[in-house]
Amino acid sequence: MTWNRPSQDCPVEIALAAISGRWATLVLRDLMHGPRSFSQLREGLPSLSAKVLTERLDSLVAQGLVSCSRSPGFPVRTSYELTPAGMLLRPLLVQLYRTGEALLGELAQH
Amino acid sequence: MTWNRPSQDCPVEIALAAISGRWATLVLRDLMHGPRSFSQLREGLPSLSAKVLTERLDSLVAQGLVSCSRSPGFPVRTSYELTPAGMLLRPLLVQLYRTGEALLGELAQH
DNA sequence: CAGGATCCTAAAAGATACTG
DNA sequence: CAGTATCTTTTAGGATCCTG
């Protein structure tokens, strides 16, 4: 099936939603390396504000790509982790990188 | 090399720029099938306004992914066509589709 | 530690009407 | 035919300060 407008049912849009938004691919890259706490993610991405990080994570959780667990006690510790669905994004991130490299090479010729 | 913030130098961001913006992947899909005039693109995507189509095309041309030629005479005819660089986006679109399908399958399980 | 609450600005998208 | 010009609305992103 094909579409003549952006639709949430189109697989392309589903995949796009997962990697959309500033910082999204960088957050995902970090999570590809294993579970991370909120602070760990912030340390790795110092210029990313708490608000935007929260937005990205909420979105990923809502899409079923990331899960979050909280340690009991105080202070709280969180652990964000890719779900099986989230791991399916790895080939897409790889392809984004490869395509970008190819474009840099091709465009450098002229 | 890796990055700790979104940078125009990162290959991932280069590739992302090419497919970013509403309707972008749909316009690219059309162009993957061959050269298209402005009107042909509008016919294929009836809900896309002339303004946004112009923005998408200008952006693709500016990135060196699409070229535009105008017929002499009147009325003018345009022909938008993927450049060699633009054709490099095909595997990325395929991967977006495949990943979306995989996500739909995985998320349907639960 | 892990966010939530506000406020603000800028960019993106859409509607409508018009032009070379 | 192939756009441009305006205007309005929506959305995203960032800054700052506050809380369980």
Side-chain angles (χ1 to χ4, degrees), chain A residues 3 5-7 10-17 19-20, chain B residues 15-33 41 45 48 56 60 82 89 92-94 96-97:
Chain A
W3 288 260
R5 80 188 60 199
S7 156
C10 173
V12 172
E13 297 291 328
I14 302 276
L16 234 22
I19 58 172
S20 284
Chain B
L16 235 22
I19 58 172
S20 283
R22 214 152 121 87
W23 301 95
T25 54
L26 293 171
V27 171
L28 285 168
R29 182 191 60 182
D30 259 38
L31 292 174
M32 289 286 164
H33 297 144
L41 290 168
L45 302 168
L48 170 55
R56 276 317 78 98
L60 290 168
L82 290 174
L89 294 174
L92 178 54
L93 295 181
V94 170
L96 277 169
Y97 193 93

Side-chain angles (χ1 to χ4, degrees), chain A residues 37-39 54 70 76-78 80:
Chain A
S37 70
F38 192 85
S39 302
T54 299
R70 289 150 205 287
V76 183
R77 270 238 143 211
T78 56
Y80 289 92

